[in-house]
Amino acid sequence: MGIFKRLFRVGQAEANAAIDKLEDPIKMTEQGIRDLKKDLDKSLQALAEVKALAIRSKKELSENKSKAANYEQKAILLIGKAEKGELEVAEADRLATEALSRKEEALESAQRAQEEVTRFDNNIAALDKNVKKLKSTIASYENELRTLKARARVSNATQKINKQLSGIDSSGTVSMLEKMKEKVAQEEAMAEAYGEISLESRSVDDEIDEVLSDKQVKASNSLEALKAKLKQQ
């Protein structure tokens, strides 16, 4: 049984390693941002719906408060009419009692509306906090994504350069340079050798012509002129 457990763990570790190789941090971050934006859209929709309910409840609260005050005012007017003799007391009391009963019903409705307003306000506060948190998280993830993309570009460029540099055969290059130096030295030596051979292979005529060249004639003339000058002195 222990062997099977160990085999299972080994297989699980290999599977996780394979999954890790397939995971792309940039794609994972992009997917995370997309998921968070979906959650944000849902939260914003829920927030809008709760706000709409809160608006309706506040409107009902205001209407019921106004209705209660209106029924109370009517009861006061009925009692006033009875006191002035404009309305029988019994009828005024009946109608005033009915008005006050409607007033209580309106106050009860106002109380329920107030409870709903309080509950919706709490829900709005919680949803608004959730929306702000999601927006902050999305902004943080987007910043992280930009950093990841920048780092990926630098890493890829560095990897390409290093790969190119690692492919250079430094020993082969040095060997090639040494061969070129040896070849150039050999060619220079050959040129010098041919120069010496050309000098050694001069004929007698070449030597005569060199002696009688303008250079030698000019030197001889200068010498004769110098001798004549010395005789005159």
Side-chain angles (χ1 to χ4, degrees), residues 2-164:
I3 293 175
F4 290 114
K5 283 185 178 180
R6 285 196 294 273
L7 289 174
F8 175 76
R9 289 197 188 104
V10 170
Q12 192 176 32
E14 290 177 351
N16 290 334
I19 292 172
D20 289 339
K21 290 179 181 178
L22 295 175
E23 289 177 346
D24 186 339
I26 293 178
K27 290 182 179 178
M28 290 176 65
T29 305
E30 289 174 339
Q31 183 59 48
I33 291 173
R34 284 193 292 269
D35 293 340
L36 284 174
K37 286 184 175 180
K38 289 179 182 178
D39 293 339
L40 178 60
D41 289 339
K42 292 177 182 177
S43 296
L44 288 171
Q45 183 178 354
L47 180 60
E49 291 173 355
V50 174
K51 281 188 175 182
L53 292 173
I55 290 170
R56 289 182 59 184
S57 296
K58 288 176 181 178
K59 186 177 180 181
E60 289 178 5
L61 174 62
S62 179
E63 289 176 351
N64 282 302
K65 283 183 176 181
S66 178
K67 191 183 289 185
N70 188 36
Y71 277 124
E72 184 176 6
Q73 184 64 29
K74 286 180 178 180
I76 292 171
L77 291 174
L78 288 168
I79 293 170
K81 281 184 175 292
E83 291 176 350
K84 293 177 182 180
E86 296 176 359
L87 185 65
E88 291 183 3
V89 175
E91 183 65 10
D93 288 346
R94 184 183 70 81
L95 292 175
T97 300
E98 191 66 28
L100 291 173
S101 178
R102 299 287 177 85
K103 171 194 171 184
E104 292 301 322
E105 290 176 0
L107 288 175
E108 290 176 1
S109 297
Q111 180 62 30
R112 287 194 297 271
Q114 180 62 61
E115 292 173 358
E116 289 179 352
V117 168
T118 301
R119 184 171 67 254
F120 290 143
D121 284 344
N122 291 334
N123 291 336
I124 288 170
L127 285 169
D128 188 58
K129 183 178 180 181
N130 189 37
V131 165
K132 289 179 179 177
K133 183 178 179 180
L134 282 171
K135 286 181 178 180
S136 176
T137 304
I138 289 170
S140 175
Y141 275 31
E142 286 177 337
N143 289 333
E144 182 178 355
L145 178 61
R146 283 192 290 271
T147 302
L148 278 173
K149 286 183 175 180
R151 288 174 61 189
R153 287 194 295 270
V154 173
S155 177
N156 289 336
T158 304
Q159 184 178 358
K160 287 180 181 178
I161 292 172
N162 289 338
K163 188 175 181 180
Q164 290 171 350

